[in-house]
Amino acid sequence: MLLNLIVFAAVAYLAYDKNTLRLLLTEKPKQHLFFGYTALLTILWSIQASIYEGLEVHFLWMTACTLFLGPRLAIYAGLIATLINCLLGSYQWDNAYIQLLSGVCLPALVSYLVYVISFHKLPRHFFIYVFVCGFFAGALSIGLKMLAISGVFTLTGQYAWDVVFDNYLILLVLLAFPEALLNGMTMTIGIIYVPSWVRTFYDSQYLDDK
């Protein structure tokens, strides 16, 4: 329990930014988007399947959350969703810090890194944004999350590698494309209908004169 508290507090502290918090407190659309995403993540993560404790399988949707809110607010939304799912019993509190680091922080940071690299290294085009920042980053995020959890549980001796691989990691093949599609479709709908909500999308960069 102490380790969980330390990790949760450290993540909350490192993700804190005064300017981001001020925008959240003063802009009602930002508040609605943040709390809406937090609620949806909580529901989505509660719909899961597992054979062994700690090896839960579910969609993440953290890539779209990061692109909409930015990495700091996305981490806070995931942190709150993780805590709520622990209270509801969807996650075991003993392994909550593993879920937070691998299922929230890692996907958010990786998704934002893909976005930054794409923004600076690739042509700024609508389809590149959707397919690279949404589709590809979504598949990469869930892949790294499952690899990280597999490594942690194997290295700590909680489960043997063959148990983790046969009952958890092998499902990555089935989850990668739907996760990518979920994030890619979310970003497409967001850009078309409510582009002002998407924190990382700029009409002047991705649409004008294209």
Side-chain angles (χ1 to χ4, degrees):
M1 180 176 292
L2 180 60
L3 179 58
N4 277 306
L5 293 175
I6 292 173
V7 171
F8 273 74
V11 168
Y13 174 77
L14 293 173
Y16 172 78
D17 178 70
K18 183 171 62 176
N19 294 327
T20 302
L21 180 61
R22 187 183 70 252
L23 289 175
L24 181 63
L25 294 176
T26 57
E27 297 185 6
K28 287 193 176 298
K30 182 75 73 174
Q31 295 172 12
H32 296 159
L33 189 60
F34 174 77
F35 289 112
Y37 245 113
T38 301
L40 290 173
L41 287 177
T42 301
I43 296 170
L44 182 64
W45 294 354
S46 67
I47 305 172
Q48 55 181 246
S50 65
I51 299 176
Y52 292 91
E53 182 180 308
L55 301 179
E56 292 86 6
V57 175
H58 59 76
F59 293 115
L60 285 179
W61 209 30
M62 279 300 297
T63 294
C65 184
T66 302
L67 295 175
F68 265 90
L69 297 173
R72 294 181 185 275
L73 288 182
I75 288 175
Y76 270 103
L79 188 152
I80 296 172
T82 301
L83 284 174
I84 294 174
N85 274 297
C86 286
L87 294 175
L88 296 176
S90 298
Y91 289 153
Q92 296 297 319
W93 177 246
D94 292 342
N95 298 318
Y97 74 96
I98 299 176
Q99 298 294 339
L100 176 65
L101 294 177
S102 61
V104 175
C105 297
L106 181 61
L109 295 176
V110 167
S111 298
Y112 193 69
L113 178 62
V114 170
Y115 160 73
V116 170
I117 294 175
S118 171
F119 185 84
H120 291 287
K121 300 297 183 180
L122 298 177
R124 296 168 188 171
H125 194 278
F126 171 84
F127 290 106
I128 290 179
Y129 180 88
V130 170
F131 284 104
V132 175
C133 301
F135 194 94
F136 171 74
L140 180 63
S141 295
I142 197 168
L144 292 177
K145 180 251 185 178
M146 295 182 72
L147 285 170
I149 287 183
S150 299
V152 169
F153 278 98
T154 301
L155 293 175
T156 56
Q158 295 188 54
Y159 299 114
W161 170 252
D162 58 339
V163 172
V164 174
F165 182 84
D166 292 339
N167 296 279
Y168 180 69
L169 192 57
I170 197 172
L171 298 175
L172 173 58
V173 179
L174 300 176
L175 287 175
F177 182 78
E179 176 72 25
L181 191 62
L182 174 63
N183 287 278
M185 290 179 63
T186 301
M187 298 317 303
T188 302
I189 294 172
I191 292 169
I192 292 174
Y193 292 103
V194 282
S196 61
W197 289 9
V198 185
R199 173 68 178 80
T200 57
F201 187 83
Y202 308 97
D203 289 353
S204 61
Q205 296 290 337
Y206 290 101
L207 293 179
D208 293 352
D209 300 326
K210 296 295 189 292

